[in-house]
Amino acid sequence: MVLTDQQKSFLELAFGVTLNDPAPSVPAEVTAQKSELSGLITRLKRDDPEAAAAANARLADLAALLERGDTDAALEEMDALELDLAASLPPSNVAFQKLRLRWQEAKKTAAKDLDKLQSDILAEYDDPEAAGSAKRLDEVLAAFNAGLSDALDDIMNAEQGSRRSALCAEAGGIVSRYLDFVFGSPLVAHVETNPFRAIDISAILAQPLQLIEIELAKHGA
């Protein structure tokens, strides 16, 4: 229960105590991202303790945003820090595997959100035209069926050398096309401005794609 200022003043006068505002709750996605960042910083500490200390300081600075309840800004800063950390770390097949799973989970999350939006549209407008419009939402995920997960598997199974570099370049092309679609598709923009429910497709899909792009650049070098 959140007290109004009037209720708070009444209780303070009645009981002679000072009531502090409750700390804002931390969303699960923030907690998960902080855990991911802490793991990356731990890895970085082995190779570059100074950079790891700077990253820890950036992570600590995010506390002020969370205290103000500015979750969106905190997540944005966390994403930026994660990209910087990923670029600083050496190439890793383990990182590839984690990113492959993260990409698959991101697509599942986007699919669930799009399914809910389809249901909202059909519930509001139960007619053939609405059904056709709702069906177009399938085109969003269809744009990501070029086989990125399989391409990452091929890279992880390949030995170091020209073959692996070629596979990285091929996967990099897929990622580049995916990112172009995420940031430039009118359909994605249309979905994100729909009046039925908040859906941020670019936020869901862009971060894992950009991390994969960074890892590919390291492995293909």
Side-chain angles (χ1 to χ4, degrees), residues 64-81:
L65 293 174
L66 294 174
E67 286 175 3
R68 294 200 301 267
D70 198 345
T71 303
D72 289 342
L75 283 170
E76 186 175 329
E77 288 296 323
M78 285 181 176
D79 284 348
L81 176 55

Side-chain angles (χ1 to χ4, degrees), residues 43-196:
R43 283 181 58 201
L44 182 61
K45 192 179 296 183
R46 293 193 290 265
D47 299 311
D48 192 340
E50 187 174 334
N56 261 324
R58 286 177 64 183
L59 187 57
D61 288 342
L62 295 173
L65 293 174
L66 294 174
E67 286 175 3
R68 294 200 301 267
D70 198 345
T71 303
D72 289 342
L75 283 170
E76 186 175 329
E77 288 296 323
M78 285 181 176
D79 284 348
L81 176 55
E82 185 179 27
L83 293 175
D84 289 344
L85 286 169
S88 301
L89 290 166
S92 164
N93 268 357
V94 173
F96 254 140
Q97 181 63 24
K98 287 183 177 180
L99 288 172
R100 179 184 180 279
L101 295 174
R102 184 166 169 179
W103 168 241
Q104 291 175 330
E105 286 302 313
K107 286 206 300 181
K108 288 178 183 177
T109 299
K112 289 178 182 177
D113 285 349
L114 290 169
D115 283 345
K116 291 175 183 177
L117 178 56
Q118 283 182 327
S119 297
D120 290 344
I121 293 172
L122 294 175
E124 185 71 21
Y125 303 104
D126 188 12
D127 58 62
E129 184 177 351
S133 297
K135 191 66 178 174
R136 280 209 65 201
L137 296 176
D138 293 339
E139 297 175 21
V140 175
L141 288 183
F144 303 105
N145 287 339
L148 179 57
S149 295
D150 290 340
L152 296 180
D153 280 340
D154 290 341
I155 292 169
M156 286 186 288
N157 293 327
E159 298 292 336
Q160 292 288 348
S162 58
R163 171 62 177 160
R164 188 181 178 97
S165 296
L167 289 171
C168 285
E170 182 180 331
I174 296 173
V175 172
S176 180
R177 291 193 295 275
Y178 283 4
L179 285 170
D180 285 345
F181 184 82
V182 167
F183 292 124
S185 167
L187 182 56
V188 171
H190 185 63
V191 167
E192 293 184 336
T193 56
N194 82 84
F196 297 96

Side-chain angles (χ1 to χ4, degrees), residues 26 29-39 59 62-63 66 78:
V26 178
E29 58 186 326
V30 172
T31 302
Q33 183 69 320
K34 285 180 70 175
S35 176
E36 181 70 24
L37 290 172
S38 295
L59 187 57
L62 295 173
L66 294 174
M78 285 181 176

